[in-house]
Amino acid sequence: MVNMAKHQLTSHSVTAAAPSSTANLGPGFDIFGLAVDAFDDFVTIERSTTTNPNHSNVSSQERFRTDEASFPVRIEMTGQYHESIPLEASKNSAGLAIQKIIKDFDIKGSFSVIVKKNIPPGFGMGSSAASAAAAVVAFDTLLDLHISKPDLVRFAAEGEKASAGSLHYDNVAASILGGFVLVRPFPTIPEFIHIEPPKDLHLVFAIPSLKVPAKKTEFARKVLPENVSLGHVVHNLSNAATVVAGFVLKDVNMIARGVEDIIVEPARKHLIPCFDNVRASALDAGAFAVTISGAGPSMVAIVSGEDRLEAIANSMRTGFGQCELTCTTIKCSPSKGARIVCKK
Ligand code: HSE
């Protein structure tokens, strides 16, 4: 048990940042994650001394929930994309992850969790995962719990149930550990293998201006086949192994050769208008491979070096434009994992 009255805390407020991420990378459904420096979510955890939501620092952009149902975790949402995120702790990825730590460590006290939501939610950029990742890292530091990195990933993954409806580790593992992460979810205690990405690996994301359903990941998981043929498994297994070999050998071309996915992507691509046009256009412009980012609808191009990034971004805009869709393009690189940015 961690009793706040007895526990000498060195800080009363800790802020952590955690990066966006792309999951799957083609054949690695639920087992590959790559942290990317496109966006960061920030989470500040404070020990609660008041439940008054009307304190003077509150801008109209911030929302609260302070009811008893969320006790002892009170969620406050700020940032560009705060609006659609639930304030009830058990429905919020950061809140749910913190509640799990509180329960497992039998922690007494109550806390404010202030999420600055910079990663667009519902677009396959690891948004819910980053909030959960930053939350567990900040909470661990605030309470001096010394939770191991793999356990931080496991706690953060609990938060994913709030948005995906089920537990998956790929985005949270990347967001906490940084770089490329291979998840082994099936041992009794899941394992996370970090590999440093090649320095010349760059990515271009195209985030289409689509209205995404609430709980989009849960929705995008429901379209997946329950059974697949052994031939398809062998094909994807071979490609997944090629992706891992590419990361180990620091060979972007090899990573890209493995990105082809013949199981999940064919089942999901109808959810992304002009998917084939975007891919063809980006490959023409010099991308090594193009796939769905996580559960979509963003698409990600794998690129070696920086020379073609702008041309590839333009080509992805052209591809979506063929379906009269605009998109935001982001040129980025692999990122480090979650980090503490402020202690008070
Ligand atoms: N592996 C997950 C999925 C990632 O594809 O459903 C969700 O971001």
Side-chain angles (χ1 to χ4, degrees):
M1 179 197 293
V2 179
N3 185 326
M4 299 280 293
K6 292 184 187 152
H7 205 69
Q8 283 303 310
L9 298 177
T10 50
S11 310
H12 68 271
S13 160
V14 174
T15 303
S20 44
S21 57
T22 182
N24 303 341
L25 290 175
F29 177 71
D30 279 0
I31 66 160
F32 290 166
L34 178 68
V36 292
D37 62 6
F39 309 96
D40 281 313
D41 271 3
F42 292 82
V43 175
T44 302
I45 315 257
E46 292 172 356
R47 283 183 294 158
S48 292
T49 50
T50 172
T51 54
N52 178 6
N54 300 316
H55 63 78
S56 56
N57 295 333
V58 178
S59 81
S60 58
Q61 286 287 295
E62 298 168 345
R63 298 180 305 126
F64 297 94
R65 185 172 174 130
T66 57
D67 60 302
E68 285 302 309
S70 62
F71 182 84
V73 176
R74 166 187 171 275
I75 304 287
E76 180 180 327
M77 293 300 306
T78 74
Q80 190 179 352
Y81 297 106
H82 69 102
E83 270 172 16
S84 60
I85 312 297
L87 295 172
E88 199 174 322
S90 60
K91 295 186 177 157
N92 179 296
S93 64
L96 190 56
I98 295 299
Q99 283 183 326
K100 176 73 175 150
I101 302 182
I102 288 175
K103 183 165 172 279
D104 282 14
F105 281 73
D106 195 14
I107 291 166
K108 304 299 176 203
S110 58
F111 302 89
S112 291
V113 177
I114 303 143
V115 181
K116 187 170 185 203
K117 175 52 69 192
N118 293 338
I119 307 176
F123 284 88
M125 302 293 300
S127 178
S128 55
S131 292
V136 298
V137 167
F139 197 64
D140 177 53
T141 299
L142 179 71
L143 268 67
D144 226 0
L145 297 173
H146 300 284
I147 300 174
S148 70
K149 285 269 173 92
D151 280 342
L152 286 174
V153 175
R154 287 179 211 114
F155 282 120
E158 290 289 326
E160 284 286 59
K161 288 183 191 163
S163 64
S166 61
L167 194 145
H168 64 98
Y169 299 96
D170 42 8
N171 290 105
V172 284
S175 202
I176 288 178
L177 301 174
F180 175 73
V181 181
L182 166 59
V183 176
R184 296 190 65 239
F186 302 112
T188 317
I189 300 177
E191 190 182 348
F192 312 105
I193 301 165
H194 170 268
I195 305 174
E196 201 54 38
K199 298 255 181 293
D200 58 336
L201 173 61
H202 294 268
L203 304 108
V204 182
F205 287 87
I207 308 173
S209 50
L210 281 172
K211 194 165 164 38
V212 289
K215 294 208 168 200
K216 177 253 7 192
T217 301
E218 191 171 344
F219 177 77
R221 291 172 86 85
K222 285 191 176 139
V223 303
L224 301 179
E226 283 190 10
N227 297 296
V228 293
S229 76
L230 182 60
H232 280 47
V233 171
V234 172
H235 192 116
N236 263 30
L237 186 57
S238 157
N239 279 345
T242 306
V243 170
V244 175
F247 275 100
V248 171
L249 298 171
K250 314 289 176 226
D251 182 337
V252 177
N253 198 313
M254 185 179 289
I255 294 170
R257 290 205 299 284
V259 160
E260 179 206 26
D261 161 28
I262 66 164
I263 296 175
V264 172
E265 189 178 279
R268 279 181 170 168
K269 69 177 195 173
H270 70 279
L271 301 173
I272 306 174
C274 269
F275 173 93
D276 288 323
N277 307 48
V278 176
R279 169 142 68 194
S281 172
L283 290 174
D284 270 357
F288 279 13
V290 181
T291 189
I292 303 173
S293 181
S298 298
M299 291 180 64
V300 57
I302 309 291
V303 187
S304 174
E306 296 180 65
D307 298 351
R308 304 294 302 157
L309 293 177
E310 189 56 42
I312 291 164
N314 285 336
S315 74
M316 294 171 95
R317 284 195 286 272
T318 304
F320 276 122
Q322 286 161 356
C323 288
E324 294 180 1
L325 265 182
T326 56
C327 69
T328 303
T329 52
I330 315 273
K331 294 168 269 179
C332 62
S333 303
S335 168
K336 299 274 180 226
R339 64 209 181 274
I340 299 297
V341 293
C342 180
K343 280 194 217 181
K344 289 186 208 156

